[in-house]
Amino acid sequence: MSKERFFKGTFLLTSAGLISRIMGFFYRIFLSHTIGAEGIGLYQLVVPLQHLVLAMTTFGIQTALSRLISSHTALGEKKEAQDCFRIGTFLALFLSGIAAWSIFTFSDFFAVQILKEPATESLIRLLALSFPFASVHLCVNSYYLGLKKASFPAATQILEQLVRIFPPACSGRSVYPAILLSPQ
């Protein structure tokens, strides 16, 4: 890979990450005003569970996919690169599906016994539904990073943040209060 392409990809991903973080910063302010301190506290309780499950279900699959796809592509083995993507995505989807089912089914256990906050149960259930989608998202990004096309992951990172921010911000409301206030 040429230095120019490397620096261009690095700059693109760094810029997208910075833009996404800035947008997230302002969204956090909006969110804190919308759902209040208690809602933010509940949200913050659930986030480490999300990070743990995603780390367990994608445990290196993203890195391995990028590396394998990159090496197969460099050797001109397009079919093998696609096979690696399919197998890696299937594995990540399988593991995240099991995790999603487990977390959803035993959400009361995680809320009461692990997080020690029964009010997080509905958030945990909602969160569980996102695991398979997040795993596929990570695998697709890995595929494009392996092809040395950093523009796709950079664009999806910004698009993801826009989808998260603008619908609630435009309506002046967030979906979180409805979730937080739903009966347990």
Side-chain angles (χ1 to χ4, degrees):
M1 171 169 40
S2 71
K3 284 185 180 183
E4 181 182 326
R5 190 171 184 177
F6 173 76
F7 286 121
K8 181 181 176 186
T10 302
F11 177 74
L12 192 60
L13 289 172
T14 302
S15 299
L18 183 62
I19 291 167
S20 180
R21 295 285 179 169
I22 291 169
M23 291 167 61
F25 170 76
F26 289 109
Y27 182 64
R28 286 288 189 129
I29 294 169
F30 166 76
L31 193 61
S32 69
H33 291 303
T34 305
I35 65 176
E38 182 182 357
I40 289 290
L42 294 175
Y43 176 73
Q44 288 299 104
L45 278 172
V46 173
V47 169
L49 180 63
Q50 176 188 27
H51 292 166
L52 178 65
V53 170
L54 286 176
M56 289 171 41
T57 59
T58 59
F59 66 103
I61 293 174
Q62 184 178 15
T63 306
L65 274 178
S66 284
R67 215 177 142 114
L68 287 170
I69 289 166
S70 179
S71 64
H72 284 300
T73 302
L75 296 172
E77 300 169 345
K78 187 176 180 181
K79 185 185 179 323
E80 287 80 1
Q82 291 173 344
D83 289 343
C84 287
F85 171 69
R86 285 187 199 102
I87 292 168
T89 303
F90 175 77
L91 179 61
L93 198 54
F94 177 75
L95 292 172
S96 63
I98 290 171
W101 176 83
S102 300
I103 299 290
F104 190 90
T105 303
F106 302 108
S107 61
D108 57 335
F109 170 77
F110 285 100
V112 175
Q113 300 298 322
I114 306 295
L115 300 178
K116 307 286 188 207
E117 181 55 63
T120 60
E121 185 177 352
S122 58
L123 287 174
I124 292 171
R125 283 190 177 160
L126 185 63
L127 184 70
L129 299 175
S130 73
F131 297 146
F133 297 105
S135 293
V136 170
H137 171 74
L138 290 171
C139 290
V140 170
N141 280 348
S142 296
Y143 180 74
Y144 283 97
L145 289 172
L147 294 177
K148 313 243 184 312
K149 295 182 178 180
S151 57
F152 184 83
T156 58
Q157 186 176 12
I158 293 172
L159 180 64
E160 179 183 329
Q161 197 68 283
L162 288 171
V163 168
R164 183 181 298 142
I165 293 171
F166 282 112
C170 290
S171 70
R173 299 176 23 218
S174 177
V175 295
Y176 295 116
I179 296 165
L180 294 174
L181 299 175
S182 67
Q184 299 298 321

